[in-house]
PDB file of all heavy atoms in Angstrom:
ATOM      1  N   PHE A  16     -11.190 -10.451 -15.799  1.00 63.00           N
ATOM      2  CA  PHE A  16      -9.848 -10.806 -15.627  1.00 63.00           C
ATOM      3  C   PHE A  16      -9.543 -12.143 -16.355  1.00 63.00           C
ATOM      4  O   PHE A  16      -8.638 -12.274 -17.187  1.00 63.00           O
ATOM      5  CB  PHE A  16      -9.438 -10.858 -14.160  1.00 63.00           C
ATOM      6  CG  PHE A  16      -8.057 -11.353 -13.974  1.00 63.00           C
ATOM      7  CD1 PHE A  16      -6.965 -10.484 -14.291  1.00 63.00           C
ATOM      8  CD2 PHE A  16      -7.819 -12.557 -13.406  1.00 63.00           C
ATOM      9  CE1 PHE A  16      -5.665 -10.938 -13.987  1.00 63.00           C
ATOM     10  CE2 PHE A  16      -6.480 -13.023 -13.209  1.00 63.00           C
ATOM     11  CZ  PHE A  16      -5.446 -12.169 -13.531  1.00 63.00           C
ATOM     12  N   ALA A  17     -10.307 -13.179 -15.981  1.00 64.00           N
ATOM     13  CA  ALA A  17     -10.250 -14.410 -16.716  1.00 64.00           C
ATOM     14  C   ALA A  17     -11.290 -14.468 -17.798  1.00 64.00           C
ATOM     15  O   ALA A  17     -12.435 -14.662 -17.489  1.00 64.00           O
ATOM     16  CB  ALA A  17     -10.368 -15.631 -15.708  1.00 64.00           C
ATOM     17  N   ARG A  18     -10.896 -14.231 -19.028  1.00 72.00           N
ATOM     18  CA  ARG A  18     -11.844 -14.085 -20.105  1.00 72.00           C
ATOM     19  C   ARG A  18     -12.220 -15.414 -20.729  1.00 72.00           C
ATOM     20  O   ARG A  18     -13.305 -15.536 -21.268  1.00 72.00           O
ATOM     21  CB  ARG A  18     -11.260 -13.156 -21.187  1.00 72.00           C
ATOM     22  CG  ARG A  18     -10.997 -11.764 -20.751  1.00 72.00           C
ATOM     23  CD  ARG A  18     -10.355 -10.951 -21.860  1.00 72.00           C
ATOM     24  NE  ARG A  18     -10.216  -9.570 -21.374  1.00 72.00           N
ATOM     25  CZ  ARG A  18      -9.469  -8.685 -22.086  1.00 72.00           C
ATOM     26  NH1 ARG A  18      -8.870  -9.050 -23.218  1.00 72.00           N
ATOM     27  NH2 ARG A  18      -9.362  -7.429 -21.609  1.00 72.00           N
ATOM     28  N   GLN A  19     -11.297 -16.344 -20.754  1.00 80.00           N
ATOM     29  CA  GLN A  19     -11.580 -17.596 -21.509  1.00 80.00           C
ATOM     30  C   GLN A  19     -10.731 -18.674 -20.901  1.00 80.00           C
ATOM     31  O   GLN A  19      -9.491 -18.520 -20.742  1.00 80.00           O
ATOM     32  CB  GLN A  19     -11.295 -17.330 -22.957  1.00 80.00           C
ATOM     33  CG  GLN A  19     -11.506 -18.480 -23.890  1.00 80.00           C
ATOM     34  CD  GLN A  19     -11.275 -18.109 -25.332  1.00 80.00           C
ATOM     35  OE1 GLN A  19     -11.435 -18.878 -26.179  1.00 80.00           O
ATOM     36  NE2 GLN A  19     -10.938 -16.846 -25.680  1.00 80.00           N
ATOM     37  N   ILE A  20     -11.268 -19.862 -20.726  1.00 86.00           N
ATOM     38  CA  ILE A  20     -10.477 -21.032 -20.264  1.00 86.00           C
ATOM     39  C   ILE A  20     -10.996 -22.243 -21.106  1.00 86.00           C
ATOM     40  O   ILE A  20     -12.183 -22.535 -21.174  1.00 86.00           O
ATOM     41  CB  ILE A  20     -10.602 -21.305 -18.819  1.00 86.00           C
ATOM     42  CG1 ILE A  20     -10.016 -20.137 -18.018  1.00 86.00           C
ATOM     43  CG2 ILE A  20      -9.857 -22.557 -18.454  1.00 86.00           C
ATOM     44  CD1 ILE A  20     -10.270 -20.281 -16.492  1.00 86.00           C
ATOM     45  N   LYS A  21     -10.034 -22.923 -21.793  1.00 91.00           N
ATOM     46  CA  LYS A  21     -10.465 -24.086 -22.523  1.00 91.00           C
ATOM     47  C   LYS A  21      -9.421 -25.181 -22.307  1.00 91.00           C
ATOM     48  O   LYS A  21      -8.244 -24.917 -22.106  1.00 91.00           O
ATOM     49  CB  LYS A  21     -10.390 -23.795 -24.065  1.00 91.00           C
ATOM     50  CG  LYS A  21     -11.531 -22.827 -24.531  1.00 91.00           C
ATOM     51  CD  LYS A  21     -11.409 -22.645 -26.021  1.00 91.00           C
ATOM     52  CE  LYS A  21     -12.578 -21.802 -26.520  1.00 91.00           C
ATOM     53  NZ  LYS A  21     -12.563 -21.736 -28.020  1.00 91.00           N
ATOM     54  N   TYR A  22      -9.935 -26.427 -22.387  1.00 89.00           N
ATOM     55  CA  TYR A  22      -8.991 -27.528 -22.228  1.00 89.00           C
ATOM     56  C   TYR A  22      -9.476 -28.756 -23.017  1.00 89.00           C
ATOM     57  O   TYR A  22     -10.646 -28.850 -23.259  1.00 89.00           O
ATOM     58  CB  TYR A  22      -8.755 -27.886 -20.720  1.00 89.00           C
ATOM     59  CG  TYR A  22      -9.926 -28.538 -20.149  1.00 89.00           C
ATOM     60  CD1 TYR A  22     -10.049 -29.978 -19.989  1.00 89.00           C
ATOM     61  CD2 TYR A  22     -10.963 -27.799 -19.551  1.00 89.00           C
ATOM     62  CE1 TYR A  22     -11.088 -30.564 -19.442  1.00 89.00           C
ATOM     63  CE2 TYR A  22     -12.067 -28.359 -18.979  1.00 89.00           C
ATOM     64  CZ  TYR A  22     -12.141 -29.750 -18.870  1.00 89.00           C
ATOM     65  OH  TYR A  22     -13.225 -30.396 -18.297  1.00 89.00           O
ATOM     66  N   VAL A  23      -8.513 -29.657 -23.290  1.00 92.00           N
ATOM     67  CA  VAL A  23      -8.824 -30.878 -23.829  1.00 92.00           C
ATOM     68  C   VAL A  23      -8.043 -31.980 -23.047  1.00 92.00           C
ATOM     69  O   VAL A  23      -6.851 -31.731 -22.708  1.00 92.00           O
ATOM     70  CB  VAL A  23      -8.557 -30.930 -25.379  1.00 92.00           C
ATOM     71  CG1 VAL A  23      -7.129 -30.752 -25.602  1.00 92.00           C
ATOM     72  CG2 VAL A  23      -8.987 -32.319 -25.953  1.00 92.00           C
ATOM     73  N   GLN A  24      -8.728 -33.063 -22.737  1.00 92.00           N
ATOM     74  CA  GLN A  24      -8.002 -34.150 -22.077  1.00 92.00           C
ATOM     75  C   GLN A  24      -8.030 -35.353 -22.934  1.00 92.00           C
ATOM     76  O   GLN A  24      -9.156 -35.762 -23.364  1.00 92.00           O
ATOM     77  CB  GLN A  24      -8.729 -34.450 -20.749  1.00 92.00           C
ATOM     78  CG  GLN A  24      -8.037 -35.553 -19.920  1.00 92.00           C
ATOM     79  CD  GLN A  24      -8.603 -35.662 -18.493  1.00 92.00           C
ATOM     80  OE1 GLN A  24      -8.802 -34.695 -17.823  1.00 92.00           O
ATOM     81  NE2 GLN A  24      -8.865 -36.880 -18.174  1.00 92.00           N
TER      82      GLN A  24
END
Side-chain angles (χ1 to χ4, degrees):
F16 178 72
R18 295 178 177 169
Q19 182 177 179
I20 298 173
K21 292 184 174 186
Y22 71 94
V23 60
Q24 184 172 312

